[in-house]
């Protein structure tokens, strides 16, 4: 039986009290095991439902819990896109609690999917499975996790790196769940109420299958707020070693699992960093948004004449300096600057500094499409300045990791920047995240990282 449906008859009927806003009791609900009966702690969920969901969406309280879509709004599900936005929902039957697994049906009642329900999010449901006969339970998660792990072992990445993304959320059939491996430490990040409900089960399975010395939870990304989840940061299983490091293509990088960005390191840029190394010989390199020095160290090893690296985070730069030392690279060719890149690029322009290879790898300017316009201005600004700082024949490595900016739009923004900078440029490479960040074909949003290598005319 699916977790929610086995108990639907025990749902408390408290619509009459729905005007009393209850405190958010997410922990009590989301940690309830699939076998447990609902208790009084579930009552606030129905109250919250009333608060957050348009009253028109309230369906038949006495019927089985289900999400019924508006006529015609099943199309994206039929194409196997795993998100159901609130606007596509005709009504929600029964009295489901947030994080319950519900059947999603079209307006004629046909089954479409099992999905985790979140009345507090614009993404009101995320699909676990397209198969009616499937049960969303510990075994389901074990299968999905084991699948993701065997897909990673087929990549033979272990020869290149002891750090890799083991689970890439929707694209591995596990919406809202990210798991990164750094040696024998796993870092787990949960970004949806559906995955949150199963967090202990997931940790148990990871412990059993991967046998790490530590599972650390970094559920503290901004996107948790959009799901109505509190931030969490701490050890879940085992003990966190004093030093966690990634050895990537022979380069050692310290990983600050507890306080670093994302889960501590940008595994997605592994292949792109390696490409930079092959193109850096005898060049003056500028690495903007350098974090702990990823691209900088590869460029130095690749024989760059000089590498100027800029980041706003002093903590990241301190780790970058340690990384430089522990890799025995020539520190005299490296310069580090703690600065706002938007300001620093203007200063470099005013100083008439020139470079042969520039990397622009900014943070996510547009987490969703709603921020796309503002983000586009940011991308255009740094790319325009980047083009101006390049010598003839120079290379620009430019990236966007914004889910809200498509590859096509990004290319247009960069083209506009080149035009305004007065340079002609060719695309030499189209870049993406490394293969341990697969993209589900039916979920283009999974392709968040896109990059271009451009060569300006000589
Ligand atoms: N290229 C890096 C990852 C970059 S992540 C790698 O391969 O590891 C983005 C970085 O941008 C973060 O380190 C963050 O501190 C920095 N950052 C964010 N806003 C900034 C700004 N306005 N100026 C400078 N750095 C900024």
């Amino acid at each position: 039986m699916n977790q929610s449906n086995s108990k639907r008859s025990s749902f408390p009927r408290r619509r009459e009290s729905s005007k009393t806003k209850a405190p958010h009791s997410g922990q009590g609900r989301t940690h309830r095991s699939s076998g447990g009966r609902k208790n009084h702690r579930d009552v606030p969920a129905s109250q919250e439902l009333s608060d957050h969901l348009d009253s028109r969406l309230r369906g038949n309280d006495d019927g089985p819990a289900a999400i019924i879509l508006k006529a015609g709004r099943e199309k994206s599900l039929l194409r196997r896109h795993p998100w159901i936005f609130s606007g596509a929902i005709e009504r929600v039957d029964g009295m489901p609690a947030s994080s319950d697994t519900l059947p999603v049906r079209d307006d004629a009642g046909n089954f479409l999917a099992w999905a985790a329900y979140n009345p507090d999010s614009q993404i009101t449901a995320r699909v676990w499975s397209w198969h009616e006969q499937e049960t969303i339970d510990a075994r389901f998660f074990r299968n999905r996790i084991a699948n993701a792990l065997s897909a990673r072992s087929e990549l033979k990445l272990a020869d290149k790196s002891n750090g890799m993304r083991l689970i890439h959320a929707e694209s591995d059939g596990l919406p809202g769940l990210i798991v990164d491996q750094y040696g024998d430490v796993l870092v787990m990040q949960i970004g949806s109420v559906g995955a949150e409900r199963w967090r202990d089960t997931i940790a148990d399975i990871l412990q059993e299958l991967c046998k790490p010395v530590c599972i650390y939870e970094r559920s503290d990304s901004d996107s948790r707020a959009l799901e109505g989840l509190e931030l969490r940061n701490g050890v879940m299983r085992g003990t966190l070693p004093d030093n966690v490091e990634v050895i990537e293509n022979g380069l050692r990088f310290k990983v600050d699992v507890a306080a670093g960005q994302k889960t501590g390191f940008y595994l997605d840029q592994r292949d792109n960093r390696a490409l930079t190394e092959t193109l850096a010989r005898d060049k003056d390199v500028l690495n903007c948004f350098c974090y702990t020095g990823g691209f900088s160290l590869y460029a130095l090893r690749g024989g760059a004449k000089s590498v100027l690296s800029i980041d706003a985070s002093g903590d990241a730069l301190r780790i970058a300096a340690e990384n430089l030392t522990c890799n025995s690279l020539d520190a005299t060719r490296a310069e580090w600057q703690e600065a706002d890149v938007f300001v620093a690029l203007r200063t470099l322009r005013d100083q008439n500094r020139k470079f042969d290879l520039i990397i622009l790898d900014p943070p996510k300017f547009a987490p969703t499409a709603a921020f796309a316009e503002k983000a586009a201005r940011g991308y255009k600004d740094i790319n325009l300045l980047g083009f101006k700082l390049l010598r003839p024949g120079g290379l620009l490595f430019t990236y966007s990791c914004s889910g809200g900016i498509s590859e096509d739009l990004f290319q247009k923004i960069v083209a506009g920047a080149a035009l305004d900078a007065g340079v002609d440029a060719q695309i030499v490479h189209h870049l993406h995240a490394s293969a341990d960040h697969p993209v589900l074909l039916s979920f283009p949003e999974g392709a968040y990282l896109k990059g271009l290598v451009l060569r300006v005319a000589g």
Side-chain angles (χ1 to χ4, degrees):
M1 281 299 266
N2 268 289
Q3 49 178 337
S4 61
N5 307 319
S6 56
K7 304 171 298 294
R8 73 175 75 97
S9 59
S10 66
F11 280 10
R13 295 288 184 262
R14 288 285 301 274
R15 264 184 105 173
E16 68 279 6
S17 59
S18 66
K19 295 227 158 41
T20 328
K21 174 133 177 115
H24 197 286
S25 59
Q27 293 299 307
R29 289 196 311 283
T30 55
H31 283 228
R32 188 164 41 74
S33 76
S34 60
R37 283 179 63 81
K38 283 176 181 289
N39 57 32
H40 67 280
R41 300 190 69 159
D42 294 313
V43 175
S46 60
Q47 294 169 346
E48 282 174 10
L49 176 69
S50 304
D51 290 341
H52 290 280
L53 210 61
D54 189 307
S55 58
R56 282 171 300 133
L57 298 184
R58 296 298 304 272
N60 175 11
D61 283 0
D62 299 323
I67 294 170
I68 314 296
L69 298 189
K70 290 176 181 163
R73 298 301 291 268
E74 70 283 1
K75 288 200 185 91
S76 71
L77 270 88
L78 293 173
R79 287 196 298 266
R80 301 214 159 182
H81 189 282
W83 288 350
I84 298 151
F85 288 95
S86 57
I89 297 175
E90 174 69 30
R91 61 175 204 276
V92 177
D93 284 347
M95 298 281 280
S98 183
S99 87
D100 278 354
T101 300
L102 301 184
V104 184
R105 301 188 180 282
D106 67 15
D107 67 321
N110 297 308
F111 176 88
L112 295 165
W114 290 111
Y117 174 55
N118 183 358
D120 298 331
S121 173
Q122 277 203 353
I123 305 173
T124 307
R126 293 175 195 245
V127 171
W128 288 130
S129 167
W130 305 101
H131 305 292
E132 191 164 13
Q133 68 281 10
E134 188 137 38
T135 302
I136 310 306
D137 57 8
R139 218 174 58 149
F140 165 87
F141 285 96
R142 199 178 188 287
N143 284 339
R144 288 276 160 104
I145 291 170
N147 255 327
L149 296 178
S150 78
R152 299 312 184 276
S153 73
E154 283 164 23
L155 294 174
K156 306 270 180 260
L157 274 177
D159 307 341
K160 282 190 191 168
S161 176
N162 67 347
M164 74 183 84
R165 175 150 297 186
L166 298 179
I167 299 177
H168 191 40
E170 275 78 352
S171 291
D172 277 308
L174 293 163
L177 178 66
I178 283 172
V179 179
D180 286 341
Q181 176 185 18
Y182 301 116
D184 47 15
V185 171
L186 298 188
V187 185
M188 173 163 139
Q189 188 166 70
I190 292 179
S192 69
V193 296
E196 177 92 358
R197 178 167 183 153
W198 294 94
R199 93 186 245 282
D200 285 317
T201 306
I202 291 164
D204 289 344
I205 296 166
L206 289 169
Q207 189 65 47
E208 178 205 332
L209 298 180
C210 304
K211 302 189 173 43
V213 298
C214 178
I215 300 179
Y216 195 92
E217 184 175 12
R218 279 298 299 275
S219 295
D220 57 358
S221 75
D222 297 344
S223 61
R224 296 261 301 181
L226 299 174
E227 285 277 305
L229 290 166
E230 287 159 16
L231 306 187
R232 214 189 284 109
N233 179 338
V235 171
M236 271 198 84
R237 299 281 190 278
T239 312
L240 185 65
D242 288 340
N243 282 310
V244 179
E245 70 170 17
V246 159
I247 306 176
E248 188 186 89
N249 295 311
L251 286 172
R252 292 169 60 191
F253 294 96
K254 187 180 161 174
V255 181
D256 186 351
V257 161
Q261 295 177 31
K262 296 227 284 191
T263 61
F265 194 63
Y266 289 83
L267 293 166
D268 51 2
Q269 290 281 27
R270 181 189 312 109
D271 295 345
N272 303 331
R273 286 190 282 261
L275 176 67
T276 304
E277 176 174 7
T278 67
L279 295 167
R281 182 149 302 279
D282 297 328
K283 292 191 174 155
D284 289 315
V285 174
L286 171 64
N287 181 11
C288 295
F289 310 97
C290 68
Y291 190 47
T292 55
F295 284 101
S296 309
L297 267 60
Y298 275 87
L300 285 167
R301 194 173 66 173
K305 203 194 304 171
S306 71
V307 181
L308 170 59
S309 309
I310 304 174
D311 201 281
S313 161
D315 288 339
L317 289 171
R318 272 183 285 283
I319 297 178
E322 282 180 48
N323 288 338
L324 183 72
T325 311
C326 78
N327 285 287
S328 311
L329 290 163
D330 179 3
T332 61
R333 290 184 283 135
E335 186 188 340
W336 306 92
Q337 211 179 88
E338 183 177 337
D340 179 340
V341 164
F342 288 85
V343 177
L345 286 173
R346 289 179 163 77
T347 309
L348 291 167
R349 178 198 58 193
D350 296 345
Q351 293 168 342
N352 207 24
R353 288 275 299 265
K354 295 287 175 196
F355 299 88
D356 307 297
L357 193 163
I358 297 179
I359 300 138
L360 300 173
D361 184 22
K364 189 160 52 185
F365 289 160
T368 65
F371 296 85
E373 206 180 305
K374 184 159 176 268
R377 281 197 293 276
Y379 287 121
K380 179 152 182 203
D381 188 44
I382 56 174
N383 280 282
L384 195 159
L385 289 160
F387 279 125
K388 286 195 165 172
L389 292 174
L390 277 173
R391 295 194 177 107
L395 295 175
L396 179 66
F397 282 63
T398 182
Y399 299 94
S400 160
C401 61
S402 295
I405 301 271
S406 69
E407 198 165 343
D408 186 45
L409 176 58
F410 184 57
Q411 188 172 317
K412 287 196 174 102
I413 295 166
V414 174
L419 199 64
D420 287 7
V423 301
D424 287 318
Q426 303 164 303
I427 298 173
V428 189
H429 294 279
H430 288 270
L431 303 175
H432 300 98
S434 306
D436 49 336
H437 298 63
V439 181
L440 192 66
L441 201 48
S442 57
F443 183 64
E445 292 85 346
Y448 66 99
L449 180 66
K450 44 259 158 199
L452 296 168
V453 181
L454 301 136
R455 183 181 184 279
V456 301

